[in-house]
Structures are given as C-alpha cells and as structure tokens.
Amino acid sequence: MVDATESVVKPHAIAVELFSRKSNRTTQLIENVSDDKSLDGRNRWYEFQLERPIYAREISIVTSGYSDWDEVEFEVSHLDGTLHEEKIKFSNNASSLQLGKLIAEFRFRPGAKWLTETKIKKVSVSGLTLDEFHAYEWAIKEFDKKEADLKQRESKAQELTDKVAQLGSERSALDGEIGQAKAQLLTLEQSVAAAQKALNEDNSSRADITRELANLREERRALNDDIKASETKLNELTKQVRLFPSEIAGFVKEGNRNILWYICISAPFVIIIFIVLNSLFTSAIDLTQLWRKEENIDTWTVFLTRIPFVVVAIAILEVCGYVVGRLVFEIIKINRQRLSLSKLSIIAKDVSTASAHNTAMTDEELFHKETELKMELLRDHMKEYVSEEFSYKGTAFQSAISAVAEKLAIGGKG
C-alpha cells in the first residue's frame, strides 16, 4: 500500500536546510560530498536536530576504516515521545536504519576502534517533509478509499463470475437433462411402437383365444363329468376296501412275521435232512460197488458195522422231521386263524350292509356299526379259541424241542 503512494509522493533525501545548527560540523555531514568535511570516527554521540519534524524512512551513514563486525548504535526520538534504539553492524563501511515514523531528532555512536583511522564521511536521511507527509496521508486515505471501492468491485465481479459459473453448470445440467429427455423420448417412442405392434398381435390372436376358451370350457365340463364318475367309483372302492379286515391287520402282520421266522428256523433242519439222506444214498451206492468188487465179503460184518450209523441217521431224521413237521403245523395253524378272522369280517360286513339297507344311516355310521359287530364276533371267537387251546408251553420252537425230547425219552425207555 505504501509503495502505491510513493508513485505520488516519493521519499527523498532531506536537505541540510531542514536541520538546526547548520554551521555545526556534525550537521554539515548531511549529504556531504567533500572529504574535507569528514569527521574522525570516535566512540561518541553524533547528534542531529530538525527544525521541523519529518517523516523518516531511512537513516544511513557512510564511513571508512570500520570492519563488517563493528557496530553503530542509533537513537531516534519520535514525535510521539517514544525513543527507538538499535545497534546495526557495518557493511562495506556503511550502515543504515530503516524507519517509518515522524521524528524530531536522532543521533548515532560508532563503536570504539583502536589503531585504525576511522572517518564519518556522510549522513543521509531519506523521507518526507511534514507537508509532503500530510499530502502522503491524504493520498493514503484516497488510496484506501479507492482500494475499498476496488475490493467492492472485485467482490461484485467475483460474485458475477461465480454466478456465471453457476449458470454455466446449470446450463450443463440442463443440457444433460435435455439429452436424457431426448433419449427417454426415443425410448418411449420405441416402446410405444412395440406396444402398438403387440396390441395388433393381441387383437389378431383374441379370436383364437376366444375359440380356445370355448374349447377349454367344453373340456372343463367333460372333466367335471369325469370327476363325478371318479367320485362314484371312489366311494365304491372305499366300500370295497372296508371289506378287508382292518381290525386284524396287526394279527396278519404278526402272523406273517411268525411264518417267516418259522421258515428260517426249519431251514437248518431241512438242510440236515437232505445232508443225511444224501449221505445214506451215497453210502448205499458205495456198498453196492464194494459188493461187486469184493467176492469174499462177510455180510454180517458189514451189517453189524452199519447198524450204529443207520441208527444215528434214523434218529437225526426223526428229530429233524418232527421239528419241521411241527413248524409246518404252526404255519398252517396261523393261516387257518387268518381265514377264520377273514370269515368274521365278511360276515360282519354282510350283516351290517343288510341291516342298514333302506335306512338313513351314513357311511360313517355304517362303518362304525360294522366295526362294532366285527369286534363282538371276534370276542366270541377268541373266547372259544382261548378256552379250548390255551395252555402256555413257551414258543413254538420251544414246544417243538420239548416234544422231541419227550419222544426220545419214550423211545429210550422202550
């Protein structure tokens, strides 16, 4: 901001006429160009007083004989009563203090230097006079005003730029939406064309669908007739199924298991019978062959030696045959009991059907009556069966073994 004002009022060298005590040799160092007016550099204060305050930007001194590590001490009295103190090193026999305030006087003191001739050649003060400073202030105020106006314009310009950018983005979005709308319009037109084509096809096939619907209705009527016939047949089959003895299902199942078990038990005895018979037959063949080969055979010896084998074989065949016969008898007995129970079921069915003829009984009631009659007949049948044959002798296999043992005992006694 200060540099901009300098284009209007630039700092310049303050002439010696603005200083007081112009005849003083120290004062004559201001803008000095003659070596004759140079002063020896000593460790003392060189004071400069102004007749009127000035706006100082820089105070610089030109010397000789000082090194870069030597320092000079500045004291500047500001117009507001403050004092600025600062030590600055020399650089190529020159030193300068940067300022920026109104001053009334200043002084400096070089550092002590021994065995070296030192000189103070020139003192320069760069700045503005008091009138120039006031003009500078007015320029600054004008500049600030213009700068504020410029910032306001820049802000408006930025707002306009942002608005233009926003409008541009909105335009881009609208262009995109327009493109999407056109694409959707094209898609809708294609869909409408496809729908129109499908509608034409539907209109052309509506008559066929109507004819097919009529045919389906005829088929439904035929299916309904078939369903009724099937229901009638189902009722007949249900009645036929009820002819079976449902109450004796458990007995039939257990009887089948016992029959299979008896067959498995009798299988080893049957195998033994076949083995013994095969051995007897083979031995008989061997005996005939031996008889043909040997002419001098003692018949009694052969007979006597064969008696134990024959007795044992007959005993084995007797026992196995008895066990197999007993098991076969049990199987036949189970089949007879199943036939008896089937007879009871048939009788109960016929009696129930005959009794319910021309009555208002439903099928369920008829079924319950039939079942009740079956149970009564079965109870009477079981009473007679239990009273005649009930005596616990163990299982059928145990009873067969017991019977064989008794028979063997009787044979031994005989």
Side-chain angles (χ1 to χ4, degrees), residues 291-311:
W291 183 268
R292 291 180 181 179
K293 293 180 180 179
E294 299 292 337
E295 296 179 357
N296 299 321
I297 295 176
D298 189 359
T299 305
W300 288 104
T301 301
V302 174
F303 178 74
L304 292 174
T305 56
R306 292 289 180 174
I307 287 176
F309 174 73
V310 172
V311 172

Side-chain angles (χ1 to χ4, degrees), residues 214-232:
N215 294 331
L216 290 175
R217 288 176 179 173
E218 292 296 331
E219 291 179 359
R220 187 179 66 179
R221 294 191 187 95
L223 289 174
N224 290 331
D225 296 337
D226 293 340
I227 290 172
K228 291 180 180 178
S230 298
E231 288 177 351
T232 304

Side-chain angles (χ1 to χ4, degrees), residues 54-72:
I54 65 170
Y55 175 75
R57 289 295 305 277
E58 183 181 13
I59 299 175
S60 60
I61 60 175
V62 179
T63 63
S64 63
Y66 288 97
S67 302
D68 290 345
W69 58 80
D70 294 326
E71 292 181 344
V72 58

Side-chain angles (χ1 to χ4, degrees), residues 147-165:
E147 185 180 20
D149 186 38
L150 179 61
K151 287 182 178 179
Q152 186 177 4
R153 291 182 180 181
E154 289 178 351
S155 177
K156 291 182 179 179
Q158 185 64 36
E159 291 178 358
L160 292 175
T161 303
D162 296 339
K163 190 173 183 180
V164 169

Side-chain angles (χ1 to χ4, degrees), residues 241-382:
V241 168
R242 289 181 178 178
L243 292 174
F244 292 100
S246 58
E247 291 81 1
I248 63 173
F251 176 79
V252 172
K253 183 178 179 181
E254 187 65 25
N256 292 332
R257 290 176 58 188
N258 289 335
I259 290 172
L260 180 62
W261 176 243
Y262 293 157
I263 292 173
C264 294
I265 293 174
S266 62
F269 295 97
V270 173
I271 293 172
I272 293 172
I273 291 172
F274 278 108
I275 292 173
V276 172
L277 290 177
N278 183 52
S279 178
L280 290 174
F281 184 74
T282 305
S283 299
I285 294 175
D286 293 339
L287 183 61
T288 57
Q289 296 295 329
L290 180 63
W291 183 268
R292 291 180 181 179
K293 293 180 180 179
E294 299 292 337
E295 296 179 357
N296 299 321
I297 295 176
D298 189 359
T299 305
W300 288 104
T301 301
V302 174
F303 178 74
L304 292 174
T305 56
R306 292 289 180 174
I307 287 176
F309 174 73
V310 172
V311 172
V312 172
I314 291 172
I316 292 173
L317 290 175
E318 180 70 16
V319 171
C320 294
Y322 181 80
V323 171
V324 172
R326 187 69 179 178
L327 294 174
V328 171
F329 174 75
E330 291 294 332
I331 293 172
I332 295 172
K333 185 178 179 181
I334 290 172
N335 286 328
R336 287 177 179 176
Q337 291 175 353
R338 289 169 59 182
L339 291 174
S340 297
L341 293 177
S342 298
K343 291 177 183 179
L344 292 177
S345 180
I346 293 171
I347 292 171
K349 174 65 180 176
D350 292 339
V351 172
S352 299
T353 303
S355 300
H357 184 64
N358 293 327
T359 62
M361 295 178 62
T362 62
D363 293 338
E364 292 294 330
E365 293 175 348
L366 180 61
F367 178 74
H368 288 303
K369 292 295 182 181
E370 178 185 344
T371 303
E372 185 178 357
L373 181 60
K374 286 180 185 179
M375 295 304 296
E376 292 293 335
L377 293 174
L378 181 62
R379 189 181 297 113
D380 293 337
H381 177 73
M382 292 301 294

